Amino acid sequence: GHVPVIYLPSFTHALKHRNFYLNVGYDEKYGVFTKSGYSYDLNRNHYGLLLLDWWEKRGLAAGIKHYFRTTDTGFGSLYYYSLKDREVLYDKELGAYYNEPVPEEYNRTKFAGRYRMNVYSPLNELKVNVDLATDPGIEYELTDESRSLIPNRTSSATLERTTRNYNLEIYAEKIDNYH
């Protein structure tokens, strides 16, 4: 059977003012990796995180998470992440993951946008969600819990009216069908 011989821990260290983080670790499938981010504050209405990652067997990735406020009642977020990925193969006899000498590369991208605001009164709320991805696997392979904004690959819009007596909601959703 496959018995682990050594475990390499992951290390995260925030530098000056917690604006920068670096996470270095090892994953059995993708090898040594670094995940880093730099937080920025343009003003009180615009701030976010710049992302730069590298995997030994995958390649370089970069992205941005940006949060914004448009009015006292409107706010949202944008997320973009792209990886120039290399195919990682598995050798059953050796029980190990590897790349071909010249691995095939392909671009994988994820985009998400969220916006929410009150329309005409605090009782009326408009919500718009847009989620786009190059393939279904990107949801689980490129993001981790600390970065994930998107629970599934759907785009939707909701107009909601709430009172003490009722809640009226008009909801439209586009679902990506990957086969």
Side-chain angles (χ1 to χ4, degrees), residues 1-2 28-30 57 87-100:
H2 184 267
E28 180 183 8
K29 183 173 182 181
Y30 302 120
K57 295 178 184 171
E87 187 175 14
V88 178
L89 305 170
Y90 183 73
D91 187 321
K92 289 182 183 180
E93 290 180 19
L94 296 175
Y97 292 94
Y98 69 96
N99 291 111
E100 291 287 345

Side-chain angles (χ1 to χ4, degrees), residues 78-92:
L78 297 171
Y79 176 77
Y80 176 82
Y81 192 79
S82 183
L83 168 67
K84 188 164 189 171
D85 208 352
R86 295 188 297 245
E87 187 175 14
V88 178
L89 305 170
Y90 183 73
D91 187 321
K92 289 182 183 180

Side-chain angles (χ1 to χ4, degrees), residues 156-176:
S156 63
T158 305
L159 182 58
E160 189 175 283
R161 165 107 176 141
T162 305
T163 69
R164 274 190 291 187
N165 299 324
Y166 68 89
N167 182 39
L168 174 64
E169 186 175 288
I170 300 171
Y171 179 78
E173 176 179 63
K174 181 197 179 301
I175 301 173
D176 292 332

